[in-house]
Amino acid sequence: MIATYPAAPDIDVLTSTFPIPGFGFVPVNAFVLHGSEPVLVDTGAMVDHADFMTALRSVIDPVDLRWIWLTHTDFDHIGSLHQLLEENPRIRVITTFLGVGIMSLTAPLPMDRVFLVNPGQDITVGDRTLTAVKPPVFDNPSTTGFYDQKSGTFFSSDCFGALLQEVPQNAADLSDDDLRQGQVTWATLDSPWLHKVDAGAFAKELDGIRAMEPTMVLSSHLPAAAGAMTDRLLASLAASPTAHPFTGPDQAALEQMLAQMTGP
Ligand SMILES: [Fe+2]
Ligand SMILES: [Fe+2]
């Protein structure tokens, strides 16, 4: 089930909630930026494909979309990508060279329908200028978020995601503990390389986001967060490299879980 809610007058969130057994829930978000050239940011999870299209049609007619900003090529971001390309021949996909390369291994993107950006580059989409940004934390090398100069929103892709016990529509409704712990768990699970980073270099990356002073942070895996929360979001990331590394359940734990589910 995919729900929608406005994060700003001209930005809609499409969100579903995925359970991670034993750990909680992770929201999976896509976003619609309304304007003279509407942009869809990511296209939902492959497993949710049909529901995603229904939810999308409730906030915009897909024939009106002009752009898809594909933050990266993971399965929770490309669910309806090809259906949208087929339904609307005007859509172009903003991605990276690496994004095109990864997609070519499963469902190639037509080269005349991509628009390649690198971090730091701007693209003008109607009444908006979007600046590509490499987020400080990511799980796929093709990842490119962006800063929307019109709304001041930072679209951070998987960065700032959180594993939560309940998923509100507004990150401000999470307690300090739930937000911090949820973010740290997600960061250590999704980006285990964080434990190997140089602390000074990582702090500089976080400072870059602080200096951006976003009015809002829209992560693929966190409820909408007002800009006033940016320092808290960054503090959770700063704590992640030295947090306990994530270790998934092993076979013995899996068998225990299955026994609990099926009973004696
Ligand atoms: Fe990802
Ligand atoms: Fe993701």
Side-chain angles (χ1 to χ4, degrees):
M1 160 77 188
I2 298 187
T4 66
Y5 64 90
D10 55 354
I11 301 175
D12 282 312
V13 183
L14 287 78
T15 187
S16 60
T17 302
F18 280 81
I20 300 191
F23 295 93
F25 299 90
V26 62
V28 173
N29 301 326
F31 308 99
V32 174
L33 280 76
H34 298 275
S36 57
E37 294 186 17
V39 183
L40 174 64
V41 184
D42 292 328
T43 65
M46 297 191 74
V47 71
D48 267 347
H49 161 70
D51 280 355
F52 182 88
M53 289 301 299
T54 303
L56 179 64
R57 289 183 215 284
S58 75
V59 296
I60 192 169
D61 186 337
V63 300
D64 292 333
L65 285 172
R66 292 291 304 278
W67 302 93
I68 292 172
W69 187 299
L70 186 63
T71 70
H72 62 301
T73 54
D74 286 352
F75 293 145
D76 51 331
H77 298 255
I78 62 168
S80 295
L81 179 58
H82 279 79
Q83 176 162 352
L84 285 162
L85 286 175
E86 273 165 33
E87 275 192 23
N88 178 348
R90 286 198 311 170
I91 290 177
R92 289 183 73 180
V93 182
I94 304 167
T95 181
T96 60
F97 178 74
L98 201 58
V100 170
I102 294 171
M103 289 305 297
S104 72
L105 297 168
T106 175
L109 293 170
M111 292 310 290
D112 58 340
R113 300 191 58 190
V114 299
F115 189 102
L116 297 187
V117 290
N118 283 322
Q121 292 183 326
D122 288 342
I123 173 170
T124 299
V125 292
D127 52 352
R128 291 177 192 273
T129 300
L130 311 178
T131 303
V133 175
K134 174 69 85 182
V137 178
F138 52 86
D139 67 357
N140 175 316
S142 69
T143 300
T144 313
F146 66 91
Y147 177 76
D148 168 26
Q149 295 186 15
K150 186 179 175 197
S151 68
T153 301
F154 175 37
F155 291 81
S156 67
S157 190
D158 287 3
C159 183
F160 300 119
L163 265 179
L164 302 168
Q165 297 313 307
E166 282 178 48
V167 182
Q169 287 186 358
N170 190 333
D173 292 336
L174 296 164
S175 71
D176 274 350
D177 264 10
D178 286 352
L179 177 63
R180 187 182 177 88
Q181 201 43 56
Q183 269 194 269
V184 169
T185 306
W186 172 258
T188 57
L189 178 159
D190 196 51
S191 306
W193 54 264
L194 269 176
H195 299 299
K196 300 179 183 178
V197 297
D198 173 81
F202 187 52
K204 230 169 150 182
E205 291 279 311
L206 299 182
D207 285 345
I209 303 302
R210 191 172 288 112
M212 185 193 288
E213 296 184 349
T215 56
M216 185 162 56
V217 174
L218 291 179
S219 163
S220 304
H221 303 301
L222 184 77
M229 295 184 69
T230 304
D231 278 342
R232 281 168 66 196
L233 299 180
L234 290 169
S236 305
L237 287 192
S240 297
T242 54
H244 193 66
F246 177 83
T247 306
D250 61 10
Q251 182 61 22
L254 173 63
E255 285 173 15
Q256 209 176 11
M257 274 194 252
L258 291 174
Q260 274 170 7
M261 284 163 68
T262 54

